[in-house]
PDB file of all heavy atoms in Angstrom:
ATOM      1  N   GLY Y  67     -19.719  25.150   5.819  1.00 94.00           N
ATOM      2  CA  GLY Y  67     -19.352  25.476   4.482  1.00 94.00           C
ATOM      3  C   GLY Y  67     -17.908  25.836   4.380  1.00 94.00           C
ATOM      4  O   GLY Y  67     -17.226  26.242   5.339  1.00 94.00           O
ATOM      5  N   ALA Y  68     -17.308  25.469   3.197  1.00 95.00           N
ATOM      6  CA  ALA Y  68     -15.921  25.806   2.874  1.00 95.00           C
ATOM      7  C   ALA Y  68     -14.981  25.178   3.866  1.00 95.00           C
ATOM      8  O   ALA Y  68     -13.991  25.791   4.376  1.00 95.00           O
ATOM      9  CB  ALA Y  68     -15.626  27.194   2.666  1.00 95.00           C
ATOM     10  N   GLY Y  69     -15.271  23.973   4.321  1.00 95.00           N
ATOM     11  CA  GLY Y  69     -14.351  23.291   5.284  1.00 95.00           C
ATOM     12  C   GLY Y  69     -14.279  23.918   6.638  1.00 95.00           C
ATOM     13  O   GLY Y  69     -13.318  23.683   7.270  1.00 95.00           O
ATOM     14  N   GLY Y  70     -15.218  24.729   6.979  1.00 97.00           N
ATOM     15  CA  GLY Y  70     -15.220  25.397   8.299  1.00 97.00           C
ATOM     16  C   GLY Y  70     -14.842  26.887   8.115  1.00 97.00           C
ATOM     17  O   GLY Y  70     -14.957  27.700   9.113  1.00 97.00           O
ATOM     18  N   ASN Y  71     -14.440  27.311   6.967  1.00 97.00           N
ATOM     19  CA  ASN Y  71     -13.867  28.669   6.860  1.00 97.00           C
ATOM     20  C   ASN Y  71     -14.864  29.827   6.884  1.00 97.00           C
ATOM     21  O   ASN Y  71     -14.544  30.947   7.196  1.00 97.00           O
ATOM     22  CB  ASN Y  71     -12.881  28.740   5.649  1.00 97.00           C
ATOM     23  CG  ASN Y  71     -11.667  28.040   5.840  1.00 97.00           C
ATOM     24  OD1 ASN Y  71     -10.853  28.454   6.745  1.00 97.00           O
ATOM     25  ND2 ASN Y  71     -11.429  26.887   5.251  1.00 97.00           N
ATOM     26  N   ILE Y  72     -16.130  29.435   6.542  1.00 97.00           N
ATOM     27  CA  ILE Y  72     -17.149  30.426   6.621  1.00 97.00           C
ATOM     28  C   ILE Y  72     -17.415  30.848   8.052  1.00 97.00           C
ATOM     29  O   ILE Y  72     -17.422  32.045   8.399  1.00 97.00           O
ATOM     30  CB  ILE Y  72     -18.512  29.989   5.924  1.00 97.00           C
ATOM     31  CG1 ILE Y  72     -18.213  29.852   4.389  1.00 97.00           C
ATOM     32  CG2 ILE Y  72     -19.727  30.800   6.228  1.00 97.00           C
ATOM     33  CD1 ILE Y  72     -19.275  29.264   3.518  1.00 97.00           C
ATOM     34  N   GLY Y  73     -17.470  29.875   8.938  1.00 98.00           N
ATOM     35  CA  GLY Y  73     -17.692  30.167  10.340  1.00 98.00           C
ATOM     36  C   GLY Y  73     -16.502  30.862  11.000  1.00 98.00           C
ATOM     37  O   GLY Y  73     -16.692  31.740  11.824  1.00 98.00           O
ATOM     38  N   ILE Y  74     -15.290  30.405  10.635  1.00 98.00           N
ATOM     39  CA  ILE Y  74     -14.173  31.037  11.251  1.00 98.00           C
ATOM     40  C   ILE Y  74     -14.081  32.536  10.893  1.00 98.00           C
ATOM     41  O   ILE Y  74     -13.848  33.387  11.741  1.00 98.00           O
ATOM     42  CB  ILE Y  74     -12.841  30.375  10.668  1.00 98.00           C
ATOM     43  CG1 ILE Y  74     -12.740  28.878  11.028  1.00 98.00           C
ATOM     44  CG2 ILE Y  74     -11.600  31.038  11.397  1.00 98.00           C
ATOM     45  CD1 ILE Y  74     -11.672  28.096  10.336  1.00 98.00           C
ATOM     46  N   GLU Y  75     -14.334  32.806   9.548  1.00 98.00           N
ATOM     47  CA  GLU Y  75     -14.367  34.237   9.142  1.00 98.00           C
ATOM     48  C   GLU Y  75     -15.408  35.057   9.900  1.00 98.00           C
ATOM     49  O   GLU Y  75     -15.124  36.184  10.277  1.00 98.00           O
ATOM     50  CB  GLU Y  75     -14.643  34.270   7.582  1.00 98.00           C
ATOM     51  CG  GLU Y  75     -14.429  35.621   7.050  1.00 98.00           C
ATOM     52  CD  GLU Y  75     -14.825  35.772   5.578  1.00 98.00           C
ATOM     53  OE1 GLU Y  75     -14.815  34.698   4.893  1.00 98.00           O
ATOM     54  OE2 GLU Y  75     -15.027  36.955   5.094  1.00 98.00           O
ATOM     55  N   LYS Y  76     -16.496  34.394  10.181  1.00 98.00           N
ATOM     56  CA  LYS Y  76     -17.557  35.147  10.885  1.00 98.00           C
ATOM     57  C   LYS Y  76     -17.111  35.663  12.304  1.00 98.00           C
ATOM     58  O   LYS Y  76     -17.315  36.801  12.650  1.00 98.00           O
ATOM     59  CB  LYS Y  76     -18.746  34.170  11.001  1.00 98.00           C
ATOM     60  CG  LYS Y  76     -20.028  34.851  11.057  1.00 98.00           C
ATOM     61  CD  LYS Y  76     -21.254  33.902  10.943  1.00 98.00           C
ATOM     62  CE  LYS Y  76     -22.439  34.697  11.297  1.00 98.00           C
ATOM     63  NZ  LYS Y  76     -23.676  34.034  11.310  1.00 98.00           N
TER      64      LYS Y  76
END
Side-chain angles (χ1 to χ4, degrees):
N71 286 293
I72 290 173
I74 302 173
E75 185 183 344
K76 207 167 172 185

